[in-house]
Amino acid sequence: MAMVEVRDVRKKYEGGFEALKGVSLQIEEGEILALLGPNGAGKTTLISAICGITQPSEGTIRVGGHDVVTDYRAARSLVGLVPQEINLEPFQKVADAVRFSRGLFGKPRNDALVEEVLRKLSLWDKRDSRVVELSGGMKRRVLIAKALSHEPRVLFLDEPTAGVDVELRRDMWETVAELKADGVTIILTTHYIEEAEAIADRIGVINKGEILLVEDKQSLMTRMGQKELRIELAEPLDAIPEPLRSFELARVDEGRSLVYSYNTTSERSGIARLMGQLTDAGIAVRDVATSQNSLEDIFVGLVSAQQTATPDAPDGACKTAGAK
């Protein structure tokens, strides 16, 4: 059984706007799913529905087997949420804020656990500081500590490292890895694609409310990754010779280099044949280098393809298809 199961969920607001339209998604216990998408893509709406903050108009959502509507308390007790917005009581002490959040879920006082959480997030030396005295990055750490205070089995991180410096971001990645090792299921939304590449097991891409895919990170990179061969020439070319035009080469740097794109999943790359044709054409090569698409390239390509396919969709429209 999946830890989080979303089936045919729709969310319609007054006025007829549908923020979610038939979304289906399964997230397994102990995995890290990175949900990528631009602003207004529907990430926060989906998270809010799973957490029970907003009720879906149609469909079902289960967390740990509990329906988030009909069995709200049991489902919500399994969930920790780190929201985008920093909304903390400014004059509350850090340790008190974490203890208070634990109490909200009916959990007994556990100072040892609070200390453990604060130490993991490098907040222990700030435990008696008031929230107003903290930096933005430290305040975000307090949000994470509050979300972990009741020992959730599912943790939602909605843009958790926004405004956080590189060092703190890496510390958070280490904390996420430790939680995963403890079997916690983590759903991460982020604008930092390197986060997804660094820590996620699966990648989901969402745009205009539509989940474009959810796939294992490595298989996605392999399936959709393109490589480029950049060929630096000894002498610039004014035009690509006729025998080489079947390779769909691109002239760059005013003809001083040629760029050849090929799919990593193809049985043959065509590179050997290309180099042979260059020799036959009397074109001297100074240097060659290869580069592979990053996850960011793949993400941008998917979003661009959707926008091209739905040019008439109004801004902010959500057209969501099911995906696993």
Side-chain angles (χ1 to χ4, degrees):
M1 180 181 67
M3 176 57 74
V4 177
E5 186 175 14
V6 181
R7 287 191 177 181
D8 300 322
V9 166
R10 297 175 181 270
K11 177 61 181 178
K12 181 180 288 188
Y13 292 98
E14 289 185 21
F17 173 69
E18 285 188 293
L20 300 174
K21 188 183 294 182
V23 174
S24 293
L25 176 67
Q26 288 190 2
I27 305 169
E28 302 302 320
E29 183 176 7
E31 79 164 320
I32 301 175
L33 173 71
L35 194 59
L36 306 178
N39 287 331
K43 303 185 299 293
T44 300
T45 301
L46 181 58
I47 286 177
S48 297
I50 296 172
C51 292
I53 297 171
T54 183
Q55 285 194 10
S57 304
E58 296 180 28
T60 59
I61 302 173
R62 295 182 180 277
V63 177
H66 303 285
D67 189 286
V68 299
V69 176
T70 61
D71 198 5
Y72 171 78
R73 288 187 179 276
R76 187 64 181 87
S77 69
L78 296 174
V79 174
L81 171 63
V82 181
Q84 259 183 295
E85 300 79 13
I86 297 178
N87 186 13
L88 297 166
E89 170 55 52
F91 298 106
Q92 193 172 35
K93 292 182 178 180
V94 169
D96 290 342
V98 177
R99 291 190 191 99
F100 181 73
S101 288
R102 180 174 174 83
L104 286 177
F105 286 87
K107 297 280 188 175
R109 180 163 176 157
N110 187 333
D111 289 338
L113 184 136
V114 170
E115 178 178 347
E116 180 184 351
V117 169
L118 293 177
R119 286 189 182 278
K120 275 186 178 181
L121 293 166
S122 301
L123 285 170
W124 182 242
D125 61 341
K126 301 287 187 182
R127 62 189 180 277
D128 292 324
S129 298
R130 299 187 188 279
V131 169
V132 72
E133 300 168 351
L134 303 180
S135 67
M138 284 295 177
K139 288 176 182 176
R140 198 163 292 279
R141 285 174 181 254
V142 174
L143 286 177
I144 296 175
K146 284 165 63 69
L148 295 176
S149 65
H150 65 285
E151 304 166 86
R153 302 311 300 162
V154 179
L155 181 64
F156 285 93
L157 302 171
D158 196 3
E159 302 287 351
T161 56
V164 173
D165 64 44
V166 173
E167 184 178 354
L168 292 183
R169 193 180 304 164
R170 287 176 180 168
D171 288 347
M172 287 189 192
W173 292 357
E174 292 177 4
T175 300
V176 167
E178 291 174 5
L179 291 169
K180 173 183 167 63
D182 290 338
V184 177
T185 303
I186 298 165
I187 297 88
L188 167 77
T189 75
T190 180
H191 282 92
Y192 300 107
I193 298 196
E194 68 269 23
E195 282 187 329
E197 284 192 292
I199 65 175
D201 300 308
R202 287 196 298 159
I203 304 293
V205 178
I206 184 170
N207 188 41
K208 296 182 179 179
E210 179 180 1
I211 295 180
L212 304 182
L213 63 80
V214 179
E215 190 170 331
D216 176 80
K217 177 180 64 180
Q218 293 304 324
S219 67
L220 174 64
M221 297 288 288
T222 299
R223 182 171 67 84
M224 302 191 69
Q226 292 283 324
K227 273 196 171 182
E228 284 187 350
L229 178 70
R230 191 180 185 93
I231 305 166
E232 184 182 342
L233 305 176
E235 299 290 338
L237 288 176
D238 293 331
I240 296 173
E242 182 65 35
L244 297 175
R245 290 182 182 174
S246 63
F247 291 96
E248 299 183 358
L249 296 167
R251 284 176 65 253
V252 297
D253 297 334
E254 298 180 343
R256 290 188 292 269
S257 298
L258 299 174
V259 175
Y260 172 59
S261 298
Y262 60 98
N263 197 309
T264 58
T265 60
S266 300
E267 290 186 9
R268 296 184 179 182
S269 66
I271 292 175
R273 189 165 62 89
L274 171 60
M275 299 306 291
Q277 292 276 13
L278 287 168
T279 301
D280 292 344
I283 299 172
V285 174
R286 186 188 300 275
D287 195 12
V288 296
T290 60
S291 62
Q292 186 165 7
N293 275 359
S294 66
L295 181 59
E296 182 170 8
D297 297 323
I298 294 170
F299 165 70
V300 171
L302 285 167
V303 171
S304 298
Q306 188 204 29
Q307 290 172 339
T308 300
T310 58
D312 298 325
D315 291 343
C318 295
K319 304 173 81 176
T320 305
K324 179 178 178 180

